[in-house]
mmCIF file of all heavy atoms in Angstrom:
data_model
loop_
_atom_site.group_PDB
_atom_site.id
_atom_site.type_symbol
_atom_site.label_atom_id
_atom_site.label_comp_id
_atom_site.label_asym_id
_atom_site.label_seq_id
_atom_site.Cartn_x
_atom_site.Cartn_y
_atom_site.Cartn_z
ATOM 1 N N ASN N 508 102.554 139.258 129.213
ATOM 2 C CA ASN N 508 101.148 139.125 128.808
ATOM 3 C C ASN N 508 100.313 138.526 129.936
ATOM 4 O O ASN N 508 99.204 138.972 130.206
ATOM 5 C CB ASN N 508 101.033 138.212 127.586
ATOM 6 C CG ASN N 508 101.336 138.965 126.307
ATOM 7 O OD1 ASN N 508 101.459 140.183 126.319
ATOM 8 N ND2 ASN N 508 101.477 138.238 125.207
ATOM 9 N N ALA N 509 100.849 137.454 130.576
ATOM 10 C CA ALA N 509 100.119 136.784 131.656
ATOM 11 C C ALA N 509 99.748 137.797 132.746
ATOM 12 O O ALA N 509 98.637 137.757 133.286
ATOM 13 C CB ALA N 509 100.959 135.643 132.216
ATOM 14 N N LYS N 511 99.709 141.212 132.293
ATOM 15 C CA LYS N 511 98.916 142.295 131.678
ATOM 16 C C LYS N 511 97.445 141.930 131.538
ATOM 17 O O LYS N 511 96.558 142.738 131.776
ATOM 18 C CB LYS N 511 99.493 142.545 130.268
ATOM 19 C CG LYS N 511 99.964 143.925 130.054
ATOM 20 C CD LYS N 511 100.480 144.290 128.679
ATOM 21 C CE LYS N 511 100.407 143.404 127.502
ATOM 22 N NZ LYS N 511 100.953 144.047 126.271
ATOM 23 N N TYR N 512 97.213 140.671 131.139
ATOM 24 C CA TYR N 512 95.832 140.272 130.826
ATOM 25 C C TYR N 512 95.139 139.543 131.977
ATOM 26 O O TYR N 512 94.128 138.894 131.779
ATOM 27 C CB TYR N 512 95.808 139.434 129.531
ATOM 28 C CG TYR N 512 96.250 140.251 128.341
ATOM 29 C CD1 TYR N 512 97.502 140.077 127.771
ATOM 30 C CD2 TYR N 512 95.426 141.252 127.817
ATOM 31 C CE1 TYR N 512 97.929 140.847 126.698
ATOM 32 C CE2 TYR N 512 95.856 142.038 126.747
ATOM 33 C CZ TYR N 512 97.103 141.836 126.194
ATOM 34 O OH TYR N 512 97.515 142.627 125.151
ATOM 35 N N ASP N 536 97.962 131.649 133.512
ATOM 36 C CA ASP N 536 97.442 132.820 134.241
ATOM 37 C C ASP N 536 95.952 132.642 134.510
ATOM 38 O O ASP N 536 95.324 131.718 133.997
ATOM 39 C CB ASP N 536 97.731 134.112 133.444
ATOM 40 C CG ASP N 536 96.906 134.228 132.185
ATOM 41 O OD1 ASP N 536 95.665 134.201 132.265
ATOM 42 O OD2 ASP N 536 97.503 134.325 131.082
ATOM 43 N N GLY N 540 91.371 135.304 129.664
ATOM 44 C CA GLY N 540 91.376 134.217 128.674
ATOM 45 C C GLY N 540 91.233 134.724 127.245
ATOM 46 O O GLY N 540 91.123 135.928 127.012
ATOM 47 N N ILE N 541 91.239 133.783 126.320
ATOM 48 C CA ILE N 541 91.210 134.143 124.887
ATOM 49 C C ILE N 541 90.098 133.359 124.192
ATOM 50 O O ILE N 541 90.068 132.127 124.258
ATOM 51 C CB ILE N 541 92.567 133.797 124.225
ATOM 52 C CG1 ILE N 541 93.695 134.518 124.983
ATOM 53 C CG2 ILE N 541 92.592 134.161 122.747
ATOM 54 C CD1 ILE N 541 95.055 133.970 124.697
ATOM 55 N N ILE N 549 96.343 135.062 117.199
ATOM 56 C CA ILE N 549 97.129 135.927 118.110
ATOM 57 C C ILE N 549 98.641 135.882 117.863
ATOM 58 O O ILE N 549 99.352 136.740 118.331
ATOM 59 C CB ILE N 549 96.825 135.600 119.602
ATOM 60 C CG1 ILE N 549 97.041 134.123 119.869
ATOM 61 C CG2 ILE N 549 95.439 136.063 119.994
ATOM 62 C CD1 ILE N 549 96.864 133.744 121.329
ATOM 63 N N TYR N 554 98.688 141.583 115.465
ATOM 64 C CA TYR N 554 97.295 141.190 115.744
ATOM 65 C C TYR N 554 96.980 141.445 117.213
ATOM 66 O O TYR N 554 97.697 140.993 118.103
ATOM 67 C CB TYR N 554 97.067 139.713 115.404
ATOM 68 C CG TYR N 554 95.588 139.357 115.428
ATOM 69 C CD1 TYR N 554 94.808 139.517 114.293
ATOM 70 C CD2 TYR N 554 94.971 138.914 116.604
ATOM 71 C CE1 TYR N 554 93.460 139.242 114.314
ATOM 72 C CE2 TYR N 554 93.611 138.637 116.641
ATOM 73 C CZ TYR N 554 92.855 138.799 115.494
ATOM 74 O OH TYR N 554 91.521 138.531 115.526
ATOM 75 N N ARG N 555 95.876 142.124 117.447
ATOM 76 C CA ARG N 555 95.429 142.354 118.826
ATOM 77 C C ARG N 555 93.951 142.004 118.904
ATOM 78 O O ARG N 555 93.208 142.202 117.945
ATOM 79 C CB ARG N 555 95.610 143.820 119.210
ATOM 80 C CG ARG N 555 97.032 144.334 119.050
ATOM 81 C CD ARG N 555 97.291 145.497 119.982
ATOM 82 N NE ARG N 555 97.358 145.107 121.378
ATOM 83 C CZ ARG N 555 96.826 145.808 122.382
ATOM 84 N NH1 ARG N 555 96.151 146.907 122.142
ATOM 85 N NH2 ARG N 555 96.936 145.393 123.632
ATOM 86 N N ILE N 556 93.548 141.487 120.055
ATOM 87 C CA ILE N 556 92.121 141.185 120.195
ATOM 88 C C ILE N 556 91.408 142.477 120.595
ATOM 89 O O ILE N 556 91.842 143.165 121.514
ATOM 90 C CB ILE N 556 91.887 140.091 121.253
ATOM 91 C CG1 ILE N 556 92.636 138.819 120.850
ATOM 92 C CG2 ILE N 556 90.410 139.817 121.425
ATOM 93 C CD1 ILE N 556 92.597 137.730 121.895
ATOM 94 N N ARG N 558 88.894 144.146 122.512
ATOM 95 C CA ARG N 558 88.047 143.827 123.678
ATOM 96 C C ARG N 558 87.190 145.023 124.096
ATOM 97 O O ARG N 558 86.757 145.115 125.247
ATOM 98 C CB ARG N 558 88.919 143.396 124.851
ATOM 99 C CG ARG N 558 89.731 142.137 124.550
ATOM 100 C CD ARG N 558 90.427 141.656 125.786
ATOM 101 N NE ARG N 558 91.483 140.712 125.469
ATOM 102 C CZ ARG N 558 91.366 139.396 125.591
ATOM 103 N NH1 ARG N 558 90.239 138.863 125.976
ATOM 104 N NH2 ARG N 558 92.384 138.619 125.306
ATOM 105 N N GLY N 566 99.612 147.903 124.028
ATOM 106 C CA GLY N 566 100.394 146.912 123.291
ATOM 107 C C GLY N 566 100.273 147.159 121.800
ATOM 108 O O GLY N 566 99.382 147.902 121.357
ATOM 109 N N LEU N 567 101.141 146.541 121.032
ATOM 110 C CA LEU N 567 101.117 146.735 119.571
ATOM 111 C C LEU N 567 100.917 145.422 118.806
ATOM 112 O O LEU N 567 101.030 145.385 117.584
ATOM 113 C CB LEU N 567 102.426 147.397 119.114
ATOM 114 C CG LEU N 567 102.616 148.858 119.505
ATOM 115 C CD1 LEU N 567 103.970 149.351 119.026
ATOM 116 C CD2 LEU N 567 101.525 149.736 118.897
ATOM 117 N N GLY N 568 100.708 144.355 119.537
ATOM 118 C CA GLY N 568 100.471 143.072 118.854
ATOM 119 C C GLY N 568 101.726 142.468 118.259
ATOM 120 O O GLY N 568 101.668 141.794 117.234
ATOM 121 N N MET N 569 102.866 142.699 118.926
ATOM 122 C CA MET N 569 104.116 142.149 118.382
ATOM 123 C C MET N 569 104.665 141.013 119.239
ATOM 124 O O MET N 569 105.383 140.144 118.739
ATOM 125 C CB MET N 569 105.183 143.250 118.316
ATOM 126 C CG MET N 569 104.906 144.279 117.261
ATOM 127 S SD MET N 569 106.298 145.386 117.071
ATOM 128 C CE MET N 569 106.215 146.327 118.579
ATOM 129 N N GLY N 570 104.342 141.050 120.559
ATOM 130 C CA GLY N 570 104.963 140.119 121.523
ATOM 131 C C GLY N 570 104.838 138.654 121.119
ATOM 132 O O GLY N 570 105.844 137.926 121.066
ATOM 133 N N LEU N 571 103.627 138.192 120.806
ATOM 134 C CA LEU N 571 103.434 136.769 120.489
ATOM 135 C C LEU N 571 104.026 136.420 119.128
ATOM 136 O O LEU N 571 104.516 135.320 118.925
ATOM 137 C CB LEU N 571 101.947 136.391 120.534
ATOM 138 C CG LEU N 571 101.337 136.312 121.938
ATOM 139 C CD1 LEU N 571 99.877 135.882 121.838
ATOM 140 C CD2 LEU N 571 102.101 135.348 122.825
ATOM 141 N N PHE N 597 99.914 129.198 128.049
ATOM 142 C CA PHE N 597 100.777 129.167 126.870
ATOM 143 C C PHE N 597 101.894 128.165 127.134
ATOM 144 O O PHE N 597 102.535 128.227 128.187
ATOM 145 C CB PHE N 597 101.394 130.548 126.608
ATOM 146 C CG PHE N 597 100.435 131.501 125.955
ATOM 147 C CD1 PHE N 597 99.532 132.241 126.728
ATOM 148 C CD2 PHE N 597 100.415 131.663 124.581
ATOM 149 C CE1 PHE N 597 98.637 133.109 126.119
ATOM 150 C CE2 PHE N 597 99.523 132.536 123.973
ATOM 151 C CZ PHE N 597 98.622 133.260 124.738
HETATM 152 P P1 ADP Z 1 100.013 142.761 122.730
HETATM 153 O O1 ADP Z 1 101.048 143.763 122.538
HETATM 154 O O2 ADP Z 1 98.667 143.219 122.264
HETATM 155 O O3 ADP Z 1 99.981 142.151 124.048
HETATM 156 P P2 ADP Z 1 100.715 140.153 121.830
HETATM 157 O O4 ADP Z 1 101.203 139.690 120.483
HETATM 158 O O5 ADP Z 1 101.587 139.876 122.979
HETATM 159 O O6 ADP Z 1 100.376 141.651 121.654
HETATM 160 O O7 ADP Z 1 99.330 139.456 122.055
HETATM 161 C C1 ADP Z 1 98.350 139.484 121.064
HETATM 162 C C2 ADP Z 1 96.951 139.496 121.649
HETATM 163 O O8 ADP Z 1 96.733 138.253 122.339
HETATM 164 C C3 ADP Z 1 96.770 140.543 122.716
HETATM 165 O O9 ADP Z 1 96.231 141.717 122.154
HETATM 166 C C4 ADP Z 1 95.844 139.917 123.724
HETATM 167 O O10 ADP Z 1 94.502 140.307 123.447
HETATM 168 C C5 ADP Z 1 95.985 138.432 123.525
HETATM 169 N N1 ADP Z 1 96.717 137.788 124.646
HETATM 170 C C6 ADP Z 1 98.044 137.487 124.670
HETATM 171 N N2 ADP Z 1 98.359 136.862 125.842
HETATM 172 C C7 ADP Z 1 97.217 136.775 126.545
HETATM 173 C C8 ADP Z 1 96.878 136.251 127.854
HETATM 174 N N3 ADP Z 1 97.769 135.678 128.630
HETATM 175 N N4 ADP Z 1 95.572 136.345 128.252
HETATM 176 C C9 ADP Z 1 94.645 136.922 127.452
HETATM 177 N N5 ADP Z 1 94.895 137.431 126.228
HETATM 178 C C10 ADP Z 1 96.174 137.390 125.797
#
Side-chain angles (χ1 to χ4, degrees):
N508 278 351
K511 239 183 7 178
Y512 296 105
D536 70 58
I541 304 163
I549 54 176
Y554 191 88
R555 304 206 70 221
I556 301 174
R558 299 187 196 259
L567 289 178
M569 289 188 289
L571 287 182
F597 282 85

